[in-house]
Amino acid sequence: MISIKLWVYVLRRILILIPTLIGLTLLVFVLVHIQGNNLILAEYINPRLTGQARELEIQRLTQEFHLDQPVYVQYFYWLGQVLTGNLGYTNTPIYSGPVTTAITLFLPNTVVLSLFAALLIWLIGIPLGVFSAVNRDSPADQGIRVFSFTLYSMPIYLIAIALILLLGVYLNVLPFSGEVSPQMVAGLSWFRDGISYPTHVLLIDAILHGDYAVAWNAFLHLIMPSLTLALAVMAGIIRILRASMLEVLEQDYIRLARAKGVPERVVNNLHARRNAMLPVVTSFGYTVAGLLGGVVVVESVFDFPGIGYWTTQALLNNDIGGIMASTLLFGIVLVLTTLILDLVYAVVDPRIRY
Amino acid sequence: MEERTEEGKYSNLILSLKVFFSNRTAVAGMVIFLAYVVDALIMQFDPRLLGVTNPNQFTYNFVNPVPQPPSSQYPLGTTYPGINLLQAILEAIRVDLGYSMLIVVGGAVIGAVVGILAAYVGGYLDELLMRFTDIFFSVPYLVLAIAVGFALGRSFTSMVIALIIVWWPIYARYTRSLTLSIKESVFVEAAKAAGASMVRIMFKHILPNTLPPVVVQISLDLGSVVGVFATLAFIGFIPNANTPELGYLASLGLNYVQSAPWTVIFPGLAITLFALSVNLMGDGLRDVIDPRRRS
C-alpha cells in the first residue's frame, strides 16, 4: 500500500521541480542573451534589407521580443511564451521553422536511439557485471574488468570511430552514416526532404507502410549509433554493478540461502542481483545525463538526424531559438528522470522517505 | 615521548605509501600520468628539448597534405594537412592536461567552499545552496557548454568555464556529505570549546580533513574531464583554431578515417591512455585513504 507519507514526499519532490526548472532556464537565458541583441536581430532580419526597411524591421523585432527591456524582464516574456507553447524559431541548415515542429521532427529519432541503447545496456552490460562478480578473479572477470576500464577511459567519439572502422570499414557489415541509404528511400511518397511521415521515425514509418526492406535498412543504420551510446554508458554500469554485487555476495542472507541449499544460479540471479542493482538504480541519473550528452556526439558523428544533431547544428550556426529550446528540453528530461528515479527509489526502499 | 609521536606520524605515511606502491597497476598509472605531466612541462618551458620550436601552433605541410602512414620519419604518421602526428600529440597534451587540471581544481575549490558552508552552517542556507546545486546538476554538460560557447564565443576559455559550471556541484555534494560527518568529531567540538571562530573551524579544521577524499575524486575526475574536453573540441567547439588540442587534432583526420585510420586513432589513444592512467592512480589512492577497500 502506498502511504500518505509517500504522497507527501511525491508532492514535495514535484514542488521542488518548479524552482529548479526556472533556475535552469534563467541560467541559460542569461547566458544566451549576454551578448546583447545583435545575435537575435541577426537571426531574424533578412540580410538583404537595408536602410529604412531595415530600421523598421529592427523596431518591429525590438517590440516583438521586448529587446528594449532588461534581460530578466525579457526572460519572463519568454517564459510566458513557452508556457503557451511558443518556443520561437530555429534556423539551421537541416531545418528552418518553428522550434516546436523541429522537436516533433527530431525528438522521436533520439528517443528510439536511446531506447535501443538502453536495451543493449540491459542485455549486455548487466549480465557482464553480474558474471564478472560471480566469477571473481577468473580470466573472464579479468577480461571484463580490463574491457570496462578501457571503455570507461575512452572519449565517446573514439568508441564511435573504433566501431566505424571495425564494423563499417574493415568487416563492412554495417552502414554508419545517416538514418537510411539514400537510394532506398528515393521517390517514396511518405519520405520527403529527409523526413519520413507520419511518426518521423523511419523504422516505424517503414513498418507502418509495409516497406520491410526500408525498415531493415533503417534498423541496420540504428545499430552502430546505439551500440556506441550503449558501450559508453555501459562501462560505468559494469564497474558499479560488479562492486555492489561483490558486496552483496558477502552478506549473511546470501550465506543463509546457500546453506539451506538454494541452487547457485537462483542465489545469484534472484537473491543477489536484485539487491546489487540498487546502486545501479541510484547512478541511473548519471547514466541518463551520460546518454543525453552522448546523444549529441553520437548523432553528430553518425549524421543521425536526432535532437542532438540539431543541437550541434544550432551551436555551429548561432541559432538562439535552437539553443534555448534544446537546453530546455535536455534539462526537462534530466530533471524528470531524476524525479521518477527518486520516486521509484522511495517505493523500493522505504528508508529513503523523509 | 616526543620521538614516539613523531614516529607515529611517519609510520602512518609509510604505511600509506606501502599500500599504494604494492598496487602495481596504480603505480603504472602514476608513472604514465607523470610522463604526461613531464611532457606538458617540457612543452611549456623548453619545447626545444623535444625538437619543437612553437608548441602553440600546428606545423602544417601543404606540399604534402594527405595523411601518410607511420614511417621511420613520422613514427605515428601524418594527418591533414601534413601534420606530424607524434609531434602534434606531444604538443597537444600540454593544452588538454592544463585545461583539464584547471577545470577539475576550479570545480573542486568552488564545490568545497559551497559544500562546507552548506553543511556547517546548515538550516536554510544549506537548503538554499543545495537547491542551487540541483539546478546546475540538471544541465547536461554538452548543452550547457553549448550555451556558454554561444555566450562567450567558442574558445578554450568558454569550454573551461562551461565545464567548471558543470563540475562544481559534484564536489559541493561530496564535501557537504564529508563535512556533515566531520563536524560531529571531537576535535571540532574542542575547537568550538576553545572559542575558535566559525570561519576558522570551517577552513582550518574541516577543510584539511576533506582534502584526501577530494584529491582522490579529482584524480578520478581528471580522466572524465579530459575526455569531455576533447569531445567538445572534436565536435567543433574551436573552429579555425590551429592550437594543438587532441580532440581537434582527431577531427582533422576525420575525412580520411577510412583510408588513414591512424589520424583519428592515435590522438584518441593519447587521451584514453591518460584517462586510464589517472583512473588507475585514483583507484590506488582511494584504497590508501579508505582502509575498507584494501583487499
Side-chain angles (χ1 to χ4, degrees):
Chain A
M1 281 306 285
I2 295 173
S3 62
I4 294 174
K5 234 177 161 182
L6 184 64
W7 282 114
V8 172
Y9 175 75
V10 170
L11 205 68
R12 207 180 107 100
R13 282 294 285 111
I14 291 175
L15 284 178
I16 287 177
L17 212 67
I18 297 166
T20 308
L21 278 177
I22 290 181
L24 165 71
T25 48
L26 186 62
L27 172 74
V28 177
F29 193 85
V30 171
L31 274 178
V32 167
H33 288 77
I34 242 171
Q35 284 201 334
N37 301 329
N38 292 338
L39 276 170
I40 304 168
L41 293 174
E43 181 162 44
Y44 287 98
I45 289 184
N46 185 337
R48 274 175 294 182
L49 282 180
T50 47
Q52 184 104 45
R54 190 182 156 83
E55 287 304 313
L56 278 175
E57 184 69 1
I58 289 178
Q59 270 181 21
R60 191 186 68 76
L61 285 170
T62 307
Q63 262 196 326
E64 187 184 334
F65 292 107
H66 309 278
L67 296 181
D68 46 351
Q69 309 269 354
V71 170
Y72 63 91
V73 179
Q74 287 183 39
Y75 170 75
F76 284 107
Y77 280 114
W78 176 81
L79 196 64
Q81 288 210 311
V82 168
L83 291 177
T84 56
N86 177 5
L87 285 166
Y89 288 88
T90 169
N91 187 9
T92 64
I94 55 168
Y95 177 78
S96 292
V99 163
T100 36
T101 319
I103 292 175
T104 57
L105 291 180
F106 297 119
L107 188 60
N109 265 333
T110 302
V111 171
V112 170
L113 181 66
S114 310
L115 287 179
F116 262 78
L119 185 72
L120 288 173
I121 294 168
W122 191 61
L123 284 179
I124 306 173
I126 290 173
L128 276 186
V130 173
F131 183 84
S132 189
V134 171
N135 299 288
R136 186 181 184 175
D137 293 331
S138 68
D141 174 38
Q142 305 278 11
I144 293 171
R145 285 172 71 188
V146 171
F147 169 73
S148 60
F149 213 80
T150 314
L151 213 53
Y152 187 72
S153 304
M154 280 167 86
I156 187 163
Y157 67 85
L158 188 66
I159 300 177
I161 298 290
L163 282 181
I164 289 179
L165 287 171
L166 181 70
L167 301 174
V169 179
Y170 181 64
L171 294 175
N172 196 13
V173 287
L174 284 174
F176 51 86
S177 181
E179 54 173 344
V180 69
S181 308
Q183 73 273 12
M184 295 294 290
V185 285
L188 285 179
S189 61
W190 50 271
F191 190 87
R192 292 186 302 276
D193 303 327
I195 294 158
S196 73
Y197 296 85
T199 64
H200 310 308
V201 178
L202 194 71
L203 177 61
I204 297 173
D205 289 335
I207 294 173
L208 287 179
H209 288 90
D211 200 335
Y212 297 110
V214 173
W216 176 245
N217 189 276
F219 174 71
L220 291 180
H221 277 83
L222 255 176
I223 296 179
M224 259 211 263
S226 47
L227 189 59
T228 307
L229 213 49
L231 285 174
V233 175
M234 205 187 283
I237 292 185
I238 294 178
R239 294 185 60 194
I240 296 170
L241 185 57
R242 180 181 181 276
S244 79
M245 186 82 182
L246 283 179
E247 205 165 289
V248 168
L249 285 174
E250 304 263 300
Q251 298 294 317
D252 285 342
Y253 60 84
I254 296 292
R255 233 174 274 163
L256 173 71
R258 284 196 178 126
K260 70 179 184 182
V262 178
E264 195 64 11
R265 191 174 47 82
V266 179
V267 171
N268 290 333
N269 288 334
L270 218 73
H271 296 78
R273 192 175 68 180
R274 280 194 178 179
N275 288 297
M277 283 299 284
L278 273 181
V280 178
V281 174
T282 325
S283 71
F284 196 74
Y286 294 101
T287 309
V288 172
L291 271 176
L292 291 179
V295 151
V296 177
V297 181
V298 166
E299 289 179 357
S300 313
V301 175
F302 289 98
D303 286 337
F304 191 82
I307 212 89
Y309 189 52
W310 173 58
T311 307
T312 321
Q313 292 295 322
L315 166 73
L316 297 178
N317 293 287
N318 284 339
D319 171 27
I320 291 193
I323 290 172
M324 280 305 299
S326 49
T327 315
L328 185 64
L329 196 67
F330 278 99
I332 289 177
V333 173
L334 197 58
V335 169
L336 284 183
T337 322
T338 324
L339 171 74
I340 294 170
L341 214 73
D342 279 358
L343 299 187
V344 169
Y345 213 68
V347 174
V348 175
D349 187 347
R351 286 169 303 180
I352 294 297
R353 292 171 225 164
Y354 52 87
Chain B
M1 197 66 190
E2 187 127 22
E3 255 178 38
R4 232 190 210 166
T5 42
E6 202 68 350
E7 201 178 62
K9 218 170 164 183
Y10 285 113
S11 73
N12 205 357
L13 179 71
I14 289 169
L15 178 69
S16 300
L17 287 175
K18 262 188 190 160
V19 170
F20 183 79
F21 281 97
S22 63
N23 184 343
R24 258 180 295 168
T25 50
V27 173
M30 190 181 69
V31 170
I32 299 172
F33 171 69
L34 288 178
Y36 273 79
V37 172
V38 168
D39 173 79
L41 290 176
I42 290 177
M43 284 300 160
Q44 180 68 36
F45 294 108
D46 195 4
R48 268 166 240 273
L49 279 177
L50 289 168
V52 175
T53 42
N54 185 2
N56 298 317
Q57 263 187 331
F58 284 128
T59 317
Y60 297 134
N61 174 7
F62 287 105
V63 180
N64 199 356
V66 180
Q68 306 289 313
S71 61
S72 55
Q73 194 188 354
Y74 304 115
L76 298 180
T78 69
T79 186
Y80 180 84
I83 296 170
N84 179 350
L85 257 182
L86 177 62
Q87 186 190 328
I89 288 174
L90 290 177
E91 291 168 1
I93 284 169
R94 181 184 64 120
V95 168
D96 284 274
L97 189 65
Y99 284 123
S100 305
M101 288 255 193
L102 192 63
I103 291 164
V104 183
V105 173
V109 168
I110 298 174
V113 171
V114 172
I116 291 176
L117 214 58
Y120 192 75
V121 179
Y124 284 113
L125 186 71
D126 183 22
E127 186 73 11
L128 184 76
L129 285 175
M130 282 304 112
R131 290 291 81 78
F132 194 63
T133 312
D134 281 347
I135 293 174
F136 288 91
F137 243 121
S138 62
V139 201
Y141 68 85
L142 266 165
V143 177
L144 189 78
I146 283 171
V148 174
F150 189 81
L152 307 178
R154 297 196 288 279
S155 65
F156 286 135
T157 317
S158 57
M159 279 160 76
V160 168
I161 293 175
L163 292 179
I164 287 182
I165 292 179
V166 186
W167 242 276
W168 73 264
I170 300 176
Y171 290 97
R173 281 195 181 175
Y174 194 43
T175 42
R176 179 177 174 271
S177 68
L178 289 170
T179 307
L180 281 179
S181 64
I182 294 172
K183 87 176 196 186
E184 306 296 330
S185 315
V186 181
F187 68 85
V188 173
E189 290 292 315
K192 252 189 232 167
S197 71
M198 198 154 95
V199 176
R200 191 185 159 86
I201 292 176
M202 279 194 287
F203 293 99
K204 190 94 198 221
H205 298 280
I206 294 180
L207 182 69
N209 282 291
T210 62
L211 273 185
V214 168
V215 168
V216 172
Q217 190 62 33
I218 284 180
S219 137
L220 289 168
D221 272 354
L222 202 52
S224 322
V225 170
V226 87
V228 170
F229 187 81
T231 302
L232 281 176
F234 180 83
I235 63 169
F237 218 88
I238 41 168
N240 310 322
N242 54 3
T243 313
E245 195 285 329
L246 289 169
Y248 177 62
L249 183 62
S251 71
L252 286 175
L254 206 53
N255 288 334
Y256 299 89
V257 69
Q258 296 193 35
S259 57
W262 60 87
T263 55
V264 182
I265 289 185
F266 286 139
L269 281 184
I271 290 200
T272 309
L273 189 62
F274 178 75
L276 209 57
S277 72
V278 285
N279 282 336
L280 289 172
M281 190 174 74
D283 271 1
L285 289 174
R286 189 163 52 185
D287 290 353
V288 171
I289 63 158
D290 185 356
R292 280 171 307 170
R293 290 178 52 93
R294 288 175 204 166
S295 44

